[in-house]
Structure formats: C-alpha cells, structure tokens
Amino acid sequence: MVPEDDEILFTNFNYNPDYYYFLYVGELKTYSLNYFVQEALAHRIPNRPIKFVAIVPDICIQYNYANIIVINPRGEEEFISDHAFVQQEKKPRRSWRIDSSRFMSAVSNNSAIRTLIDRILERQNQLYINLYESVLDMTLDQIERVSILGPDKYIARQFNNKITQYKALEGVVPLADHKVCEDKDCLLKTTADLRSQWTDGIFVSGAYSAAGINSAVTYNQHQVESRFGATNDVYLISKFIPHQLDPTVLAVVANDQDVYIAGIADQVIVDGNRFIGSKFPSLATPEQKQKMHEYTVRAGRMLGEKGYRGIFGCDYLIDNNGEILFLEINARKQGTTLEFCYTLEQTLPEGAPMLPELEYYAVTEGRFPRNTVEMKENLRKIHWGTYNYKIQTKKLTTGYIPQNPYERETFRKVANGELLKDFVILEHPGTNFLVMPGMFLARVVSVARNREDVDEGLCQGVGFIQQTIVEAE
C-alpha cells in the first residue's frame, strides 16, 4: 500500500514484492501506452512479471484503471477547503487541469512517492519512469538507480524551443519565411513592418508553445498587441501560408543515423493554430509522404547528433500548390503515439517491436533491435480519427460516460473485419463537475475501414459528450 499522505487524493495501488515495477507519471490520456512499455520490459526482464504504477493528476468520479495514484495540488486545495469529495450534498467538484511543471514538481517532492520508490528499489536494481514528455521539473531521476525511460530532459527542453529548431534546421528542411524577435518591442515593430508583405497573416509564437498555447495567427496589429502585449518573450514570427493539410509525422531516433518513421497522420487544426485531433491515414499524396519521411529523417538525425534519443514528432503543412513546409519539432511523444501503436500492432509482422520498445532500446543502448520493421503501407485498411473535446466556456457535467478500457480491442476487431466501425469516449471525469474554460472534457477515438465512417463515429461521440454538459452559472 502507498504510505498515507494528504497530498494523495486517491489510490487503489497495493505494492506486491513479487512484481518488477516501473512508474508512469502523466495524464490518463496516455495511461494505456504503458501496456506496451510493460510488454517491452517483459522481453528484457523475463524472470519477474512486470507491472506499472500510474501517478496522474486527473480528478474523476471513479477510476476504471489499475494501480492509480492521483496527485493534484489544485484538487488538494479544493479538498481541504470544502471537502468536495466527501460531502453527501456537495457543490460541483472542479475539473482541474494543472500545468505539467506544477504536477511534476508535486510528484517529485511527494514524500509518499519517494518512500514507495525506496521500497521498490529494495527488490529491484533499477526503476524506470515513463513520461509523456521529459521535463526538468521531474527530479525523481536524481535518486540513485532511478532513470527516465525517454529522451534526456535537458536536450528535450533545448529542442522544444522553436528558435533553436529553426536555427538548427535552416537549409535542412523547407521552412516558411520567418524572423526571430528578441523581445516585445521587436515583435510589435517587425510585425508592423511585414504586415504589407505577408498579407495572408503573420503567425506569432513564443519560443515554447504547444497545441495553440502561446501562439496565434494574427491579421492586424491590434491582434498582436492584445494577444502578446502583456508578455515579453523571444518570438518566432513566420509568414502564414494558406493550406489544406497539416500532416504530422511520428518517429523515433536511436542515434545520429537511425531514425524510425511510425507513420503520418493529418492534424485537425481550427482557428489557424488550435489542435483538436488527428486522422489517419493522411490525405497527402505518396510523393508528399515520401518527402515528409525524408525531412523527418533529416530532423531526427540532427536530434541524434545532439544526443536526443527516443520518440519525437515533426509537424508540416502542405500549401495550396502542394508544396511542403516544416512547422515544428515536438521533442516528446505525440498525441498520435497510442493510436499508432495500435495500428502498428495490427499491421507489422508478429514480434516486431512497438514504439515504446524502440524508445527503450534507443535510450538504453542507442540502437534499434534487429527485428525492427517500419509500416510501409496500410495493409489492414485501418482508418482512425481522434477528437479532443475542449471547453470554451464554463460547463457543468450532468451526465457520466463510463471510462472505456477497450480501445486496443476496437483496433484489433476492425483490423480483423469483426467490426466495420466503432468509437470510444475516453477520460470523461463524471457527473457534477464544473469544467473550466480551456479544459479537455473528454476524447473521442473512432476506428473504421474508411474516413467517412471515422467521421461518423467522431460526430456521434461528440454528440454523446454534449449530452453530458450544460452551461454553468
């Protein structure tokens, strides 16, 4: 059992010394990816069964997941102030999504987690921590014999910086016209000077941004001032290119030569820069896919030369003339990682390593295993799409969608022809939650044999989610 700790809001984990454990620290949305990590470790540690402990910030009405520990400083504050989790007649709980830095710091400094790690290390020589993104605020790897099963966090931080990316990839991949502004005054002046030349809009991004946060497509100077006037960052500004497709390539780099391409999906982008989901396979032509494959290998080798090892992604756009332009590197796992694992599992030869096993070899040995195989074509005709239901105004949940643990089974059945199509709704928190603007309420994953059926599943899933919410007062 985890030692008692007021900072732990919920746990169903009981320690069993017969198992070899690893930790997952991150959101529930990538919980199931740990089963692939578990299977990868089982290939290397065959003498003991493998289990993982998932330390998550997600606050839900209940948890249909094994070995969960919930730590959320914002949720803890609410719990202390009004006992919102235990009152019989209670006001709505809040669906808190805290930033990664605060969550990782809370986990790293939690005495119960550190005591648990000490106990685990009494029975095994090494403890791996699996992360969605390697971040500096995760400091548990400073404990002797504890290591992150992913990219070096200092190198990941360096290459999540868009300024660093563009400087490193100049002349390596095709880039849109761009400039770097060292401060807010430079940003305001440079965008004003370029406005008459870049008439389709100017994309402004802070050095660090993701999923539309800290970035915007601007069409006039008022938008620049209102969106970035209160900040003083280093900015990357680029000419906005009208386009039809926003492909993303998922990959793994093992060294300065070996880069594995998992696949290409199309991102669904709204408002110019806000990511809400992905669809596979990409609508790019075979020639365009081959070019993006080549560009991503180039980017991966650059990362490999700098010491990066593990999963990463590259985002592109394809303009109205069919030309490809690089947008950014994501030096972390992508939102498509889990769905690509399910796709690869149904497509590659039996026994071929999945992405977490490739990352394990890349991180621990700087190579890929000998039986590594890329997916050359979509042999099983698997199509899928994801939709992240993000709240724009404050909502109250009045219904509950059960937590679905069968996404992997859905991919298998569609690939085998047992199902023509199906969809699952994931990570809904439950009834009587006050969901704040900017929060993700739930995700829909739709799997089928064609894109039309995928879109139908996404539409139906969104409809179910909408039935569980009302406008909050």
Side-chain angles (χ1 to χ4, degrees):
M1 192 71 181
V2 178
E4 290 188 8
D5 190 306
D6 290 341
E7 296 176 0
I8 292 178
L9 301 182
F10 171 86
T11 183
N12 58 10
F13 170 66
N14 286 288
Y15 175 73
N16 184 332
D18 294 334
Y19 288 96
Y20 186 102
Y21 287 96
F22 69 93
L23 302 184
Y24 164 68
V25 185
E27 295 179 326
L28 279 175
K29 66 180 181 181
T30 49
Y31 174 93
S32 294
L33 194 60
N34 292 287
Y35 290 116
F36 290 96
V37 179
Q38 180 176 300
E39 292 160 12
L41 290 178
H43 296 157
R44 302 304 300 270
I45 308 167
N47 57 328
R48 288 173 69 185
I50 312 294
K51 279 196 174 182
F52 62 91
V53 185
I55 306 170
V56 304
D58 304 70
I59 297 175
C60 303
I61 194 170
Q62 62 183 14
Y63 298 89
N64 190 17
Y65 305 86
N67 297 333
I68 287 283
I69 299 173
V70 180
I71 294 177
N72 187 316
R74 296 185 72 182
E76 177 196 349
E77 292 163 6
E78 181 184 35
F79 179 86
I80 292 171
S81 64
D82 61 18
H83 304 287
F85 292 95
V86 296
Q87 292 174 355
Q88 290 300 312
E89 293 189 8
K90 51 185 175 292
K91 64 183 182 182
R93 289 154 287 192
R94 289 181 177 85
S95 182
W96 291 122
R97 191 182 192 197
I98 63 172
D99 65 79
S100 175
S101 295
R102 188 177 181 189
F103 171 60
M104 291 295 178
S105 294
V107 173
S108 297
N109 295 322
N110 186 276
S111 59
I113 298 301
R114 288 180 169 266
T115 299
L116 174 62
I117 289 173
D118 290 341
R119 189 172 183 186
I120 290 173
L121 288 173
E122 291 174 0
R123 296 281 298 171
Q124 59 192 64
N125 292 327
Q126 179 79 32
L127 176 63
Y128 291 113
I129 300 177
N130 184 37
L131 302 173
Y132 182 75
E133 178 180 359
S134 298
V135 294
L136 301 182
D137 307 273
M138 166 51 62
T139 59
L140 293 175
D141 59 316
Q142 295 175 3
I143 300 172
E144 187 177 359
R145 295 184 289 140
V146 176
S147 60
I148 293 173
L149 196 57
D152 178 276
K153 57 189 177 182
Y154 295 98
I155 298 174
R157 175 69 177 175
Q158 178 186 2
F159 283 98
N160 274 319
N161 184 313
K162 289 181 173 52
I163 313 301
T164 301
Q165 294 176 21
Y166 273 63
K167 288 180 178 179
L169 293 174
E170 190 78 52
V172 178
V173 298
L175 304 172
D177 292 342
H178 64 279
K179 292 185 179 296
V180 174
C181 294
E182 297 295 338
D183 55 33
K184 180 179 64 178
D185 291 340
C186 174
L187 171 68
L188 295 175
K189 182 180 186 308
T190 305
T191 51
D193 291 344
L194 288 170
R195 188 67 60 184
S196 61
Q197 301 175 44
W198 293 356
T199 55
D200 288 312
I202 298 177
F203 181 74
V204 180
S205 173
Y208 295 95
S209 69
I213 299 172
N214 201 27
S215 67
V217 179
T218 67
Y219 300 97
N220 55 60
Q221 287 309 103
H222 173 73
Q223 292 175 341
V224 177
E225 293 174 4
S226 61
R227 179 67 178 80
F228 300 98
T231 64
N232 196 26
D233 198 350
V234 179
Y235 304 91
L236 178 73
I237 64 171
S238 57
K239 180 181 179 181
F240 180 73
I241 309 294
H243 59 283
Q244 299 297 322
L245 285 179
D246 291 276
T248 181
V249 184
L250 183 65
V252 191
V253 56
N255 49 57
D256 61 0
Q257 288 298 313
D258 295 326
V259 180
Y260 178 95
I261 304 298
I264 304 174
D266 291 332
Q267 296 183 93
V268 181
I269 306 291
V270 297
D271 301 329
N273 70 321
R274 187 163 60 87
F275 170 80
I276 61 170
S278 302
K279 293 181 181 179
F280 173 86
S282 171
L283 296 179
T285 67
E287 293 77 14
Q288 290 167 338
K289 291 177 183 178
Q290 181 58 37
K291 284 186 178 181
M292 287 185 286
H293 187 291
E294 293 172 4
Y295 296 153
T296 305
V297 169
R298 293 180 195 175
R301 286 175 175 170
M302 180 277 293
L303 289 173
E305 289 175 359
K306 304 298 184 180
Y308 188 96
R309 303 288 184 269
I311 295 173
F312 73 100
C314 286
D315 294 344
Y316 300 88
L317 68 78
I318 300 178
D319 71 16
N320 296 336
N321 296 317
E323 296 300 315
I324 300 167
L325 289 171
F326 168 89
L327 292 180
E328 65 177 343
I329 293 172
N330 292 304
R332 54 171 170 76
K333 295 178 177 67
Q334 300 274 86
T336 59
T337 304
L338 183 56
E339 282 69 38
F340 266 122
C341 281
Y342 294 145
T343 304
L344 294 168
E345 182 179 39
Q346 299 303 325
T347 305
L348 298 182
E350 185 175 354
M354 296 294 101
L355 298 175
E357 186 163 6
L358 295 176
E359 183 167 64
Y360 172 87
Y361 272 87
V363 170
T364 61
E365 300 185 21
R367 67 179 182 91
F368 292 137
R370 292 181 180 178
N371 57 337
T372 298
V373 183
E374 285 189 1
M375 179 175 60
K376 298 301 183 184
E377 56 182 312
N378 187 17
L379 296 174
R380 307 294 293 277
K381 308 301 180 187
I382 299 170
H383 289 64
W384 52 261
T386 63
Y387 186 94
N388 299 325
Y389 197 105
K390 192 172 184 178
I391 297 298
Q392 301 301 312
T393 59
K394 189 163 58 174
K395 306 286 187 183
L396 177 67
T397 61
T398 58
Y400 174 62
I401 297 175
Q403 293 164 348
N404 190 319
Y406 302 113
E407 184 183 358
R408 192 175 189 177
E409 185 77 357
T410 298
F411 273 78
R412 184 189 67 78
K413 288 185 174 181
V414 171
N416 290 341
E418 298 173 50
L419 289 174
L420 295 175
K421 55 188 175 182
D422 200 4
F423 67 88
V424 296
I425 300 174
L426 306 166
E427 293 110 39
H428 192 285
T431 307
N432 202 31
F433 275 88
L434 193 63
V435 187
M436 309 305 289
M439 287 288 303
F440 285 106
L441 175 63
R443 288 193 307 129
V444 184
V445 180
S446 176
V447 190
R449 309 289 291 185
N450 58 67
R451 184 165 285 209
E452 291 74 19
D453 284 345
V454 166
D455 290 342
E456 178 189 28
L458 293 175
C459 183
Q460 291 182 0
V462 168
F464 278 119
I465 295 171
Q466 289 173 337
Q467 292 178 36
T468 69
I469 53 176
V470 297
E471 290 290 339
E473 297 180 358

